[in-house]
mmCIF file of all heavy atoms in Angstrom:
data_model
loop_
_atom_site.group_PDB
_atom_site.id
_atom_site.type_symbol
_atom_site.label_atom_id
_atom_site.label_comp_id
_atom_site.label_asym_id
_atom_site.label_seq_id
_atom_site.Cartn_x
_atom_site.Cartn_y
_atom_site.Cartn_z
ATOM 1 N N SER K 435 33.774 -22.196 74.533
ATOM 2 C CA SER K 435 34.457 -21.469 73.452
ATOM 3 C C SER K 435 34.753 -22.399 72.284
ATOM 4 O O SER K 435 34.983 -21.940 71.164
ATOM 5 C CB SER K 435 35.751 -20.836 73.951
ATOM 6 O OG SER K 435 35.410 -19.742 74.755
ATOM 7 N N ILE K 519 48.802 -6.388 53.724
ATOM 8 C CA ILE K 519 47.773 -6.809 54.695
ATOM 9 C C ILE K 519 48.403 -6.801 56.092
ATOM 10 O O ILE K 519 49.578 -7.149 56.240
ATOM 11 C CB ILE K 519 47.272 -8.234 54.343
ATOM 12 C CG1 ILE K 519 46.539 -8.204 52.988
ATOM 13 C CG2 ILE K 519 46.371 -8.811 55.426
ATOM 14 C CD1 ILE K 519 46.188 -9.577 52.446
ATOM 15 N N GLY K 617 29.474 3.549 62.395
ATOM 16 C CA GLY K 617 29.787 4.456 61.292
ATOM 17 C C GLY K 617 31.241 4.316 60.885
ATOM 18 O O GLY K 617 31.827 3.243 60.993
ATOM 19 N N GLU K 618 31.807 5.420 60.464
ATOM 20 C CA GLU K 618 33.207 5.435 60.005
ATOM 21 C C GLU K 618 34.162 5.084 61.150
ATOM 22 O O GLU K 618 35.303 4.728 60.919
ATOM 23 C CB GLU K 618 33.565 6.843 59.514
ATOM 24 C CG GLU K 618 32.691 7.365 58.388
ATOM 25 C CD GLU K 618 33.196 6.955 57.025
ATOM 26 O OE1 GLU K 618 34.419 6.818 56.884
ATOM 27 O OE2 GLU K 618 32.365 6.752 56.121
#
Side-chain angles (χ1 to χ4, degrees):
S435 287
I519 294 171
E618 302 273 329

